[in-house]
């Protein structure tokens, strides 16, 4: 019979360990049946003390085990002055192992979970306890420059998939014991470690309690990325606007912590969530607080105008050329009419065709290999647009309008915040194609109403503009200079 088709043995992992080493070994081998990377090693010390070592090959530092644990016990024996070792407690209390982190557990489930996290399990005959030593060491990606949040000025470090590396980067920036980090294990199968980071004294207690309760209520089979946590704790799933700021930059996350927010770090993901997020966070770049205030103020206004341009330009063009041609300068309207004379489709259909084509090319540029992705997205748009115009399928102004709106969306510094701008263009196109400028106005009022009523974790999405907080609202539109250092 093929071993791959064998059914797993029904065992209860919550059972406590036995005093007999043979029974414990049999139980653990049953739990790790057909796990070729889990190693069992029997060790007999001087004085006939029997030990069992269990670890996952590839997740532990073998040099530490051999030089710090096995060699002293097997070859050097028990140090002088130390009595006979017949329990795990004595091994820990008499400090036989030069390992920083050790702990004791007494159930098979706890032992198995820690073994799979890269701990070395040590069992002794006659002792219903497992000694676990943290000797984990596995391959991780080194710290690199952020790929999705480029900045002209500021740190060049980004988070990695290692949770401890990420928490260390935050500790290096915020050097205070008030920076708290609470750990949770989420996922029945993955047991992914999730850390809530916040600065005690700055964070709102009610908001922190709400985030804790939502994280504790998560019931998933596994958590592979921070997006699992985001979708599980967000207020509403039916808003196109992100309710949590996602970032791979430690300086951005640190800035959020110093503003009284909560960071959610997930083991295995380089993307950290910052809770809560406001609408204006999506339009701010990482280096907004590193450059001089005059440059940043000008750039912010450019971003706001281009964000509005990206969402409104196609629908306004449809409304003006279809329903309100008297609002367009006569020479410009004559030029547009002449170019559209041979077009077989109405303006709204042309815009829809080009919008779908542009979005398809944008998605293709992301999924294709890095060397040819930008080439396909840029050259493909030019070639297809030019060919469509020459074939008489699309009029030339439509290519200009769609391209201008698409490029405007790239001005938004956070890529995820560009998604709602691109999505909302389509319902606005329908409304403007049916009702003209009146339909465009209806669509914008609906979007503003949704933004006003959106309150992630009890925090208004449009604050500090709505509701208005004068001192903080200034910083949304103007990046004022910092106060001069006082003269000594």
């Amino acid at each position: 019979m093929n071993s791959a088709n064998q059914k797993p043995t029904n065992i209860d992992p919550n059972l406590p360990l036995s005093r007999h080493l043979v029974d414990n070994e049999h139980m653990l081998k049953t739990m790790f049946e057909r796990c070729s990377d889990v190693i069992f090693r029997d060790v007999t010390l001087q004085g006939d003390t029997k030990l069992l070592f269990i670890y996952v090959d590839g997740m532990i530092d073998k040099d530490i085990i051999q030089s710090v644990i096995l060699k002293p016990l097997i070859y050097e024996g028990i140090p002088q002055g130390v009595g006979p070792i017949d329990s795990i407690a004595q091994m820990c209390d008499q400090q036989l192992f030069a390992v920083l982190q050790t702990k004791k557990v007494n159930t098979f489930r706890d032992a198995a979970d820690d073994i799979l996290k890269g701990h070395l399990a040590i069992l002794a005959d006659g002792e219903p306890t497992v000694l676990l030593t943290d000797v984990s060491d596995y391959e991780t990606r080194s710290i690199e420059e952020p790929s999705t949040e480029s900045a002209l000025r500021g740190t060049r470090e980004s988070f990695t998939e290692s949770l401890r590396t990420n928490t260390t980067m935050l500790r290096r920036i915020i050097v205070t014991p008030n920076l708290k980090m609470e750990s949770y294990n989420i996922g029945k199968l993955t047991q992914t470690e999730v850390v809530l980071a916040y600065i005690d004294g700055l964070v709102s207690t009610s908001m922190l309690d709400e985030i804790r309760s939502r994280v504790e209520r998560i019931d998933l089979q596994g958590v592979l990325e921070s997006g699992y946590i985001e979708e599980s704790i967000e207020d509403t799933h039916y808003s196109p606007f992100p309710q949590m700021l996602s970032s791979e930059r430690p300086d951005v996350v640190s800035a959020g912590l110093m503003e009284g927010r909560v960071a959610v770090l997930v083991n295995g993901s380089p993307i950290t969530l910052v809770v809560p997020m406001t609408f204006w966070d999506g339009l701010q770049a990482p280096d907004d607080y590193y450059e001089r205030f005059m440059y940043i103020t000008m750039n912010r206004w450019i971003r706001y105008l281009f964000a509005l341009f990206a969402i409104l330009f196609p629908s306004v063009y449809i409304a003006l050329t279809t329903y309100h041609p008297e609002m367009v300068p006569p020479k410009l309207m004559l030029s547009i009419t002449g170019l559209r004379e041979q077009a077989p489709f109405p303006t709204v259909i042309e815009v829809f065709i080009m919008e779908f084509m542009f979005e398809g090319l944008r998605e293709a540029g992301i999924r294709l290999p890095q060397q040819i992705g930008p080439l396909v997205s840029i050259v493909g748009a030019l070639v297809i647009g030019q060919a469509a115009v020459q074939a008489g399928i699309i009029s030339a102004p439509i290519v200009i309008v769609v391209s201008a709106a698409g490029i405007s969306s790239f001005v938004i510094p956070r890529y995820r915040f560009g998604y709602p701008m691109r999505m909302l263009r389509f319902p606005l196109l329908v409304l403007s194609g049916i009702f003209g400028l009146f339909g465009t106005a209806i669509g914008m009022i609906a979007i503003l109403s949704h933004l006003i009523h959106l309150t992630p974790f009890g925090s208004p999405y449009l604050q500090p503009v709505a509701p208005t907080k004068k001192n903080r609202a200034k910083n949304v539109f103007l990046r004022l200079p910092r106060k001069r250092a006082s003269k000594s």
Side-chain angles (χ1 to χ4, degrees):
M1 182 176 179
N2 191 349
S3 61
N5 297 324
Q6 292 178 1
K7 295 183 179 180
T9 306
N10 293 324
I11 57 175
D12 185 5
N14 293 312
L15 288 173
L17 275 82
S18 168
R19 288 188 174 275
H20 302 288
L21 183 60
V22 176
D23 296 339
N24 294 334
E25 181 178 5
H26 174 73
M27 183 69 170
L28 289 169
K29 282 186 175 180
T30 303
M31 294 178 67
F32 290 114
E33 187 178 6
R34 297 188 296 277
C35 297
S36 60
D37 56 337
V38 179
I39 308 301
F40 289 76
R41 167 72 187 277
D42 294 313
V43 177
T44 301
L45 303 183
Q46 298 175 3
D48 295 332
T49 301
K50 294 182 179 180
L51 301 179
L52 175 64
F53 287 47
I54 308 173
Y55 61 90
V56 178
D57 191 18
M59 295 187 68
I60 53 92
D61 190 332
K62 293 183 179 180
D63 292 335
I64 292 180
I65 294 179
Q66 293 172 359
S67 61
V68 177
I69 299 177
L70 279 177
K71 184 178 178 181
L73 289 177
I74 296 177
Y75 297 104
E76 299 177 7
I78 300 174
Q80 295 183 357
V82 177
I85 302 300
D86 58 3
S87 74
I88 296 295
Q90 284 181 287
M91 292 183 189
C92 220
D93 296 339
Q94 298 182 10
Q95 301 178 355
L96 292 185
F97 306 136
V99 180
L100 288 177
Q101 297 184 21
T102 61
K103 66 176 182 180
K104 294 174 287 186
V105 298
N106 53 18
T107 65
F108 289 102
R109 178 184 294 277
D110 293 337
D113 289 345
D114 282 292
I115 290 170
L116 294 174
K117 291 178 181 178
H119 290 69
L120 171 67
I122 305 176
L123 295 86
D125 194 18
E127 178 67 22
T129 308
V130 178
L131 174 64
L132 295 161
T133 65
D134 189 358
V135 290
S136 58
D137 180 36
Y138 40 85
E139 294 295 329
T140 58
R141 182 169 61 94
S142 61
I143 297 174
E144 300 173 353
E145 187 171 348
S147 58
T148 60
E149 295 176 85
S150 58
L152 298 177
R153 191 169 179 176
T155 178
R156 294 292 187 267
E157 294 181 333
S158 67
F159 288 128
T160 70
E161 287 75 16
S162 172
L163 180 63
R164 281 296 156 247
T165 301
N166 298 341
T167 56
T168 302
M169 295 171 77
L170 293 179
R171 287 284 184 194
R172 280 170 40 203
I173 298 174
I174 305 176
V175 188
T176 172
N178 289 333
L179 175 58
K180 309 300 182 182
M181 295 187 180
E182 301 178 3
S183 179
Y184 300 85
N185 288 325
I186 309 296
K188 297 177 182 177
L189 296 179
T190 60
Q191 287 292 301
T192 306
E193 187 176 2
V194 177
V195 168
L196 299 184
Y198 60 91
I199 298 180
D200 194 18
L202 294 181
V203 68
S204 168
T205 304
S206 58
M207 181 182 69
L208 179 61
D209 291 339
E210 178 64 22
I211 295 173
R212 281 177 182 149
S213 64
R214 294 188 189 185
V215 171
E216 291 171 352
R217 290 199 301 267
I218 295 176
D219 184 19
L220 296 173
Q221 288 291 97
V223 175
L224 304 180
E225 211 272 339
S226 58
Y228 286 64
I229 304 298
E230 179 180 10
E231 194 171 359
S232 299
I233 67 175
E234 64 184 357
D235 282 68
T236 174
H237 302 301
Y238 302 105
S239 173
F241 293 92
Q243 298 154 58
M244 303 176 208
L245 181 67
S246 60
S247 177
E248 61 176 346
R249 296 178 63 98
D251 56 339
V252 172
V253 176
S254 299
L257 292 175
M258 290 187 287
E259 292 175 355
R261 307 188 197 190
V262 179
V264 183
L265 299 93
V266 179
N267 191 27
S269 172
I271 304 298
T272 297
L273 305 175
V274 181
V275 183
M277 177 186 179
T278 66
F279 177 85
W280 313 105
D281 291 332
L283 296 172
Q284 292 185 2
D287 53 358
D288 273 8
Y289 294 91
Y290 302 146
E291 285 288 358
R292 300 190 67 218
F293 73 98
M294 290 182 289
Y295 310 152
I296 299 306
T297 300
M298 180 186 70
N299 287 339
R300 280 189 179 177
W301 279 101
I302 290 174
R303 287 191 209 119
Y304 296 159
L305 291 175
F306 270 85
L308 197 62
F309 190 83
I311 192 174
L312 282 177
F313 188 36
S315 57
V316 170
Y317 173 81
I318 292 173
L320 291 179
T321 56
T322 306
Y323 293 96
H324 313 283
E326 70 279 357
M327 298 180 66
V328 183
K331 289 186 178 180
L332 178 60
M333 193 65 213
L334 287 173
S335 176
I336 294 174
T337 303
L339 292 170
R340 289 205 68 256
E341 192 173 358
Q342 303 298 326
F345 302 111
T347 303
V348 63
I349 301 299
E350 287 185 315
V351 174
F352 260 104
I353 292 173
M354 287 305 298
E355 282 286 357
F356 275 112
M357 186 61 65
F358 192 89
E359 292 298 326
L361 289 170
R362 190 203 303 252
E363 187 68 15
I366 296 173
R367 305 303 168 196
L368 287 172
Q370 189 173 2
Q371 292 78 6
I372 63 174
L375 182 66
V376 169
S377 59
I378 297 173
V379 177
L382 294 174
V383 172
I384 292 175
Q386 183 65 25
V389 171
Q390 290 181 350
I393 301 174
I394 301 295
S395 59
I398 299 298
V399 178
I400 298 172
V401 169
V402 173
S403 300
I407 293 172
S408 298
S409 65
F410 290 129
V411 178
I412 299 172
R414 301 198 176 277
Y415 185 78
R416 289 181 74 244
F417 200 72
Y419 277 121
M421 304 299 181
R422 290 154 51 189
M423 289 177 57
L424 293 173
R425 276 208 297 260
F426 291 98
L428 286 175
L429 290 177
V430 174
L431 290 172
S432 63
I434 298 175
F435 302 108
L437 285 178
F438 180 68
T440 305
I442 291 175
M444 291 304 297
I445 291 172
I447 293 172
L448 286 174
S449 177
H450 170 71
L451 291 174
I452 290 172
H453 288 89
L454 190 61
T455 54
F457 300 92
S459 178
Y461 199 62
L462 289 179
Q463 70 169 352
V465 176
T468 304
K469 297 180 181 179
K470 293 183 179 180
N471 293 334
R472 295 180 58 191
K474 293 178 182 178
N475 192 49
V476 172
F477 303 102
L478 303 172
R479 218 284 271 159
L480 300 177
R482 295 182 179 87
K483 295 180 180 179
R484 292 183 179 179
S486 58
K487 295 182 180 179
S488 57

